[in-house]
Short mmCIF file of all heavy atoms in Angstrom, two decimals:
data_model
loop_
_atom_site.label_atom_id
_atom_site.label_comp_id
_atom_site.label_asym_id
_atom_site.label_seq_id
_atom_site.Cartn_x
_atom_site.Cartn_y
_atom_site.Cartn_z
N VAL C 312 105.44 99.19 83.26
CA VAL C 312 106.22 98.99 82.04
C VAL C 312 107.30 100.04 81.85
O VAL C 312 108.37 99.75 81.32
CB VAL C 312 105.27 98.92 80.81
CG1 VAL C 312 104.67 100.29 80.50
CG2 VAL C 312 105.99 98.34 79.60
N GLY C 313 107.09 101.25 82.30
CA GLY C 313 108.09 102.30 82.12
C GLY C 313 108.86 102.66 83.38
O GLY C 313 109.57 103.67 83.42
N MET C 314 108.76 101.82 84.42
CA MET C 314 109.41 102.11 85.70
C MET C 314 110.69 101.31 85.85
O MET C 314 110.81 100.20 85.34
CB MET C 314 108.46 101.80 86.85
CG MET C 314 107.16 102.59 86.81
SD MET C 314 106.00 102.12 88.12
CE MET C 314 106.88 102.66 89.58
N ASP C 315 111.66 101.89 86.59
CA ASP C 315 112.86 101.11 86.91
C ASP C 315 112.67 100.43 88.27
O ASP C 315 111.70 100.67 88.98
CB ASP C 315 114.12 101.96 86.86
CG ASP C 315 114.14 103.07 87.91
OD1 ASP C 315 113.58 102.88 89.01
OD2 ASP C 315 114.73 104.14 87.64
N LYS C 316 113.63 99.57 88.61
CA LYS C 316 113.46 98.74 89.81
C LYS C 316 113.40 99.58 91.08
O LYS C 316 112.64 99.25 92.01
CB LYS C 316 114.61 97.74 89.90
CG LYS C 316 114.29 96.53 90.78
CD LYS C 316 113.18 95.69 90.16
CE LYS C 316 112.91 94.43 90.95
NZ LYS C 316 111.90 93.57 90.30
N GLU C 317 114.17 100.64 91.15
CA GLU C 317 114.16 101.47 92.36
C GLU C 317 112.79 102.08 92.59
O GLU C 317 112.33 102.19 93.74
CB GLU C 317 115.24 102.56 92.26
CG GLU C 317 116.66 102.02 92.37
CD GLU C 317 117.69 103.14 92.39
OE1 GLU C 317 117.29 104.32 92.41
OE2 GLU C 317 118.89 102.83 92.39
N GLU C 318 112.13 102.50 91.52
CA GLU C 318 110.80 103.07 91.66
C GLU C 318 109.81 102.02 92.16
O GLU C 318 108.96 102.31 93.01
CB GLU C 318 110.33 103.63 90.32
CG GLU C 318 111.12 104.84 89.84
CD GLU C 318 110.77 105.23 88.42
OE1 GLU C 318 110.81 104.36 87.53
OE2 GLU C 318 110.45 106.42 88.21
N VAL C 319 109.92 100.81 91.63
CA VAL C 319 109.02 99.74 92.05
C VAL C 319 109.27 99.36 93.51
O VAL C 319 108.33 99.18 94.29
CB VAL C 319 109.18 98.51 91.14
CG1 VAL C 319 108.29 97.36 91.61
CG2 VAL C 319 108.84 98.87 89.69
N VAL C 320 110.53 99.26 93.89
CA VAL C 320 110.89 98.92 95.27
C VAL C 320 110.35 99.97 96.24
O VAL C 320 109.86 99.64 97.33
CB VAL C 320 112.41 98.75 95.41
CG1 VAL C 320 112.83 98.73 96.88
CG2 VAL C 320 112.86 97.47 94.72
N ALA C 321 110.43 101.23 95.86
CA ALA C 321 109.94 102.30 96.73
C ALA C 321 108.45 102.12 97.02
O ALA C 321 107.99 102.30 98.16
CB ALA C 321 110.20 103.66 96.10
N ILE C 322 107.68 101.76 96.00
CA ILE C 322 106.24 101.55 96.21
C ILE C 322 106.01 100.29 97.04
O ILE C 322 105.15 100.26 97.93
CB ILE C 322 105.51 101.45 94.86
CG1 ILE C 322 105.64 102.76 94.09
CG2 ILE C 322 104.03 101.12 95.07
CD1 ILE C 322 105.08 102.72 92.68
N ALA C 323 106.80 99.23 96.77
CA ALA C 323 106.66 97.99 97.54
C ALA C 323 106.92 98.24 99.02
O ALA C 323 106.21 97.69 99.90
CB ALA C 323 107.62 96.93 97.00
N ARG C 324 107.89 99.05 99.33
CA ARG C 324 108.16 99.40 100.74
C ARG C 324 107.00 100.20 101.32
O ARG C 324 106.58 99.99 102.46
CB ARG C 324 109.46 100.19 100.85
CG ARG C 324 110.72 99.38 100.54
CD ARG C 324 111.96 100.20 100.84
NE ARG C 324 113.18 99.53 100.45
CZ ARG C 324 113.81 98.59 101.16
NH1 ARG C 324 113.29 98.21 102.32
NH2 ARG C 324 114.93 98.04 100.73
N LYS C 325 106.48 101.13 100.54
CA LYS C 325 105.38 101.99 101.00
C LYS C 325 104.15 101.17 101.36
O LYS C 325 103.49 101.43 102.37
CB LYS C 325 105.04 103.01 99.91
CG LYS C 325 103.78 103.80 100.15
CD LYS C 325 103.43 104.64 98.95
CE LYS C 325 102.05 105.25 99.04
NZ LYS C 325 101.66 106.00 97.83
N ILE C 326 103.81 100.17 100.55
CA ILE C 326 102.59 99.40 100.78
C ILE C 326 102.82 98.17 101.65
O ILE C 326 101.88 97.45 101.97
CB ILE C 326 101.91 99.00 99.45
CG1 ILE C 326 102.79 98.02 98.66
CG2 ILE C 326 101.60 100.23 98.62
CD1 ILE C 326 102.12 97.52 97.37
N GLY C 327 104.07 97.91 102.02
CA GLY C 327 104.36 96.85 102.98
C GLY C 327 104.58 95.46 102.41
O GLY C 327 104.61 94.48 103.15
N THR C 328 104.76 95.35 101.08
CA THR C 328 104.95 94.02 100.48
C THR C 328 106.42 93.64 100.31
O THR C 328 106.74 92.47 100.09
CB THR C 328 104.27 93.95 99.10
OG1 THR C 328 104.78 95.00 98.26
CG2 THR C 328 102.77 94.10 99.24
N PHE C 329 107.33 94.60 100.39
CA PHE C 329 108.72 94.35 100.03
C PHE C 329 109.35 93.25 100.87
O PHE C 329 109.98 92.32 100.33
CB PHE C 329 109.54 95.64 100.14
CG PHE C 329 111.00 95.46 99.81
CD1 PHE C 329 111.43 95.39 98.49
CD2 PHE C 329 111.95 95.32 100.81
CE1 PHE C 329 112.76 95.21 98.18
CE2 PHE C 329 113.29 95.14 100.51
CZ PHE C 329 113.70 95.09 99.19
N ASP C 330 109.24 93.33 102.19
CA ASP C 330 109.92 92.37 103.06
C ASP C 330 109.44 90.94 102.81
O ASP C 330 110.22 89.99 102.94
CB ASP C 330 109.69 92.74 104.53
CG ASP C 330 110.46 93.99 104.93
OD1 ASP C 330 111.39 94.37 104.20
OD2 ASP C 330 110.10 94.60 105.96
N THR C 331 108.18 90.77 102.47
CA THR C 331 107.68 89.44 102.14
C THR C 331 108.15 89.01 100.75
O THR C 331 108.53 87.85 100.54
CB THR C 331 106.14 89.42 102.20
OG1 THR C 331 105.72 89.79 103.52
CG2 THR C 331 105.60 88.04 101.87
N SER C 332 108.16 89.92 99.80
CA SER C 332 108.56 89.60 98.43
C SER C 332 110.00 89.08 98.35
O SER C 332 110.32 88.26 97.48
CB SER C 332 108.41 90.82 97.52
OG SER C 332 107.06 91.14 97.32
N VAL C 333 110.87 89.56 99.22
CA VAL C 333 112.29 89.17 99.13
C VAL C 333 112.61 87.94 99.97
O VAL C 333 113.78 87.53 100.04
CB VAL C 333 113.21 90.35 99.55
CG1 VAL C 333 113.04 91.51 98.59
CG2 VAL C 333 112.96 90.78 100.98
N LEU C 334 111.61 87.31 100.58
CA LEU C 334 111.87 86.05 101.27
C LEU C 334 112.38 85.02 100.27
O LEU C 334 111.88 84.95 99.14
CB LEU C 334 110.60 85.55 101.95
CG LEU C 334 110.10 86.38 103.15
CD1 LEU C 334 108.76 85.83 103.64
CD2 LEU C 334 111.12 86.36 104.29
N PRO C 335 113.35 84.18 100.65
CA PRO C 335 114.05 83.33 99.67
C PRO C 335 113.32 82.05 99.31
O PRO C 335 113.84 80.95 99.47
CB PRO C 335 115.37 83.02 100.40
CG PRO C 335 114.99 83.00 101.85
CD PRO C 335 113.93 84.07 102.00
N TYR C 336 112.10 82.17 98.80
CA TYR C 336 111.36 81.01 98.33
C TYR C 336 111.11 81.17 96.84
O TYR C 336 110.44 82.10 96.42
CB TYR C 336 110.04 80.85 99.08
CG TYR C 336 110.20 80.77 100.57
CD1 TYR C 336 109.55 81.66 101.41
CD2 TYR C 336 111.02 79.80 101.14
CE1 TYR C 336 109.70 81.60 102.78
CE2 TYR C 336 111.19 79.73 102.52
CZ TYR C 336 110.53 80.63 103.34
OH TYR C 336 110.69 80.56 104.68
N GLU C 337 111.65 80.26 96.02
CA GLU C 337 111.58 80.42 94.58
C GLU C 337 110.19 80.09 94.05
O GLU C 337 109.50 79.23 94.58
CB GLU C 337 112.62 79.51 93.90
CG GLU C 337 114.06 79.91 94.22
CD GLU C 337 115.07 79.00 93.54
OE1 GLU C 337 114.97 77.77 93.73
OE2 GLU C 337 115.91 79.50 92.80
N ASP C 338 109.80 80.80 92.99
CA ASP C 338 108.53 80.47 92.36
C ASP C 338 108.78 79.63 91.11
O ASP C 338 109.92 79.31 90.76
CB ASP C 338 107.73 81.75 92.03
CG ASP C 338 108.45 82.66 91.06
OD1 ASP C 338 109.29 82.18 90.28
OD2 ASP C 338 108.18 83.88 91.07
N CYS C 339 107.69 79.27 90.41
CA CYS C 339 107.82 78.35 89.29
C CYS C 339 108.62 78.94 88.13
O CYS C 339 109.25 78.21 87.37
CB CYS C 339 106.43 77.93 88.81
SG CYS C 339 105.42 79.28 88.16
N CYS C 340 108.62 80.26 88.00
CA CYS C 340 109.34 80.89 86.88
C CYS C 340 110.85 80.75 87.05
O CYS C 340 111.58 80.43 86.12
CB CYS C 340 108.96 82.36 86.77
SG CYS C 340 107.23 82.62 86.33
N THR C 341 111.34 81.00 88.26
CA THR C 341 112.78 80.99 88.48
C THR C 341 113.37 79.58 88.40
O THR C 341 114.53 79.41 88.02
CB THR C 341 113.13 81.61 89.85
OG1 THR C 341 112.41 80.91 90.88
CG2 THR C 341 112.71 83.07 89.90
N LEU C 342 112.57 78.58 88.75
CA LEU C 342 113.09 77.20 88.78
C LEU C 342 113.29 76.62 87.39
O LEU C 342 114.10 75.73 87.20
CB LEU C 342 112.14 76.31 89.60
CG LEU C 342 112.16 76.56 91.11
CD1 LEU C 342 111.03 75.80 91.77
CD2 LEU C 342 113.49 76.11 91.71
N PHE C 343 112.56 77.09 86.40
CA PHE C 343 112.63 76.53 85.06
C PHE C 343 113.22 77.53 84.06
O PHE C 343 112.95 77.45 82.88
CB PHE C 343 111.24 76.10 84.60
CG PHE C 343 110.74 74.84 85.26
CD1 PHE C 343 110.16 74.88 86.52
CD2 PHE C 343 110.86 73.61 84.64
CE1 PHE C 343 109.70 73.73 87.14
CE2 PHE C 343 110.40 72.45 85.24
CZ PHE C 343 109.83 72.51 86.50
N THR C 344 114.02 78.45 84.54
CA THR C 344 114.62 79.45 83.66
C THR C 344 115.81 78.87 82.91
O THR C 344 116.74 78.33 83.53
CB THR C 344 115.08 80.68 84.47
OG1 THR C 344 113.94 81.23 85.15
CG2 THR C 344 115.68 81.74 83.56
N PRO C 345 115.84 78.96 81.59
CA PRO C 345 117.00 78.46 80.83
C PRO C 345 118.22 79.36 81.03
O PRO C 345 118.10 80.52 81.42
CB PRO C 345 116.50 78.51 79.39
CG PRO C 345 115.45 79.56 79.38
CD PRO C 345 114.78 79.50 80.72
N LYS C 346 119.40 78.79 80.74
CA LYS C 346 120.63 79.57 80.89
C LYS C 346 120.68 80.74 79.92
O LYS C 346 121.15 81.83 80.26
CB LYS C 346 121.84 78.67 80.69
CG LYS C 346 122.04 77.64 81.79
CD LYS C 346 123.31 76.81 81.53
CE LYS C 346 123.53 75.79 82.64
NZ LYS C 346 124.75 74.96 82.40
N HIS C 347 120.22 80.52 78.70
CA HIS C 347 120.28 81.56 77.68
C HIS C 347 118.93 81.71 76.99
O HIS C 347 118.72 81.22 75.87
CB HIS C 347 121.39 81.23 76.66
CG HIS C 347 122.74 81.04 77.26
ND1 HIS C 347 123.48 82.08 77.79
CD2 HIS C 347 123.49 79.91 77.45
CE1 HIS C 347 124.62 81.62 78.25
NE2 HIS C 347 124.64 80.30 78.07
N PRO C 348 117.97 82.37 77.65
CA PRO C 348 116.64 82.51 77.05
C PRO C 348 116.66 83.42 75.83
O PRO C 348 117.45 84.37 75.76
CB PRO C 348 115.82 83.12 78.19
CG PRO C 348 116.82 83.84 79.05
CD PRO C 348 118.08 83.03 78.97
N LYS C 349 115.80 83.13 74.89
CA LYS C 349 115.69 83.97 73.69
C LYS C 349 115.03 85.29 74.08
O LYS C 349 113.96 85.30 74.70
CB LYS C 349 114.88 83.25 72.61
CG LYS C 349 114.87 84.00 71.27
CD LYS C 349 114.19 83.17 70.19
CE LYS C 349 115.09 82.04 69.73
NZ LYS C 349 116.28 82.54 68.99
N THR C 350 115.66 86.37 73.73
CA THR C 350 115.15 87.69 74.13
C THR C 350 114.30 88.37 73.05
O THR C 350 113.55 89.29 73.38
CB THR C 350 116.32 88.63 74.47
OG1 THR C 350 117.19 88.73 73.34
CG2 THR C 350 117.10 88.09 75.67
N ARG C 351 114.41 87.91 71.81
CA ARG C 351 113.61 88.51 70.74
C ARG C 351 112.90 87.43 69.93
O ARG C 351 113.13 87.26 68.74
CB ARG C 351 114.51 89.38 69.83
CG ARG C 351 114.96 90.65 70.52
CD ARG C 351 115.86 91.50 69.63
NE ARG C 351 116.07 92.81 70.21
CZ ARG C 351 116.95 93.08 71.17
NH1 ARG C 351 117.68 92.10 71.66
NH2 ARG C 351 117.06 94.30 71.66
N PRO C 352 112.02 86.70 70.59
CA PRO C 352 111.32 85.62 69.89
C PRO C 352 110.29 86.18 68.90
O PRO C 352 109.74 87.27 69.11
CB PRO C 352 110.62 84.87 71.02
CG PRO C 352 110.40 85.92 72.07
CD PRO C 352 111.59 86.82 72.00
N THR C 353 110.02 85.43 67.86
CA THR C 353 108.97 85.79 66.92
C THR C 353 107.78 84.88 67.14
O THR C 353 107.90 83.80 67.75
CB THR C 353 109.45 85.65 65.47
OG1 THR C 353 109.70 84.26 65.20
CG2 THR C 353 110.71 86.47 65.23
N LEU C 354 106.63 85.29 66.63
CA LEU C 354 105.43 84.47 66.78
C LEU C 354 105.61 83.14 66.06
O LEU C 354 105.18 82.08 66.56
CB LEU C 354 104.22 85.22 66.24
CG LEU C 354 102.86 84.53 66.41
CD1 LEU C 354 102.60 84.18 67.87
CD2 LEU C 354 101.75 85.40 65.84
N ALA C 355 106.26 83.16 64.89
CA ALA C 355 106.50 81.92 64.14
C ALA C 355 107.35 80.95 64.95
O ALA C 355 107.10 79.73 64.96
CB ALA C 355 107.17 82.24 62.81
N GLN C 356 108.38 81.45 65.63
CA GLN C 356 109.22 80.59 66.46
C GLN C 356 108.42 79.99 67.62
O GLN C 356 108.61 78.83 67.97
CB GLN C 356 110.41 81.40 67.00
CG GLN C 356 111.43 81.76 65.94
CD GLN C 356 112.47 82.75 66.45
OE1 GLN C 356 112.22 83.52 67.39
NE2 GLN C 356 113.65 82.72 65.84
N CYS C 357 107.52 80.78 68.20
CA CYS C 357 106.70 80.27 69.30
C CYS C 357 105.76 79.17 68.82
O CYS C 357 105.62 78.12 69.47
CB CYS C 357 105.88 81.41 69.92
SG CYS C 357 106.86 82.64 70.81
N LEU C 358 105.12 79.41 67.70
CA LEU C 358 104.19 78.41 67.16
C LEU C 358 104.91 77.12 66.82
O LEU C 358 104.40 76.02 67.05
CB LEU C 358 103.48 78.98 65.93
CG LEU C 358 102.55 80.17 66.19
CD1 LEU C 358 102.03 80.74 64.88
CD2 LEU C 358 101.41 79.78 67.11
N SER C 359 106.12 77.24 66.29
CA SER C 359 106.91 76.06 65.97
C SER C 359 107.30 75.31 67.24
O SER C 359 107.24 74.08 67.30
CB SER C 359 108.16 76.47 65.19
OG SER C 359 109.00 75.36 64.95
N ALA C 360 107.69 76.05 68.29
CA ALA C 360 108.11 75.43 69.55
C ALA C 360 106.96 74.72 70.26
O ALA C 360 107.17 73.77 71.02
CB ALA C 360 108.72 76.48 70.46
#
Side-chain angles (χ1 to χ4, degrees):
V312 71
M314 300 176 66
D315 64 33
K316 201 66 176 184
E317 289 185 5
E318 293 171 308
V319 177
V320 166
I322 298 174
R324 292 187 186 278
K325 170 187 169 184
I326 66 176
T328 56
F329 179 79
D330 289 343
T331 301
S332 291
V333 297
L334 291 174
Y336 304 123
E337 294 180 305
D338 61 25
C339 63
C340 294
T341 56
L342 288 170
F343 286 82
T344 301
K346 292 182 179 180
H347 303 289
K349 187 174 285 292
T350 58
R351 289 179 169 81
T353 66
L354 184 56
Q356 289 170 335
C357 292
L358 295 174
S359 176

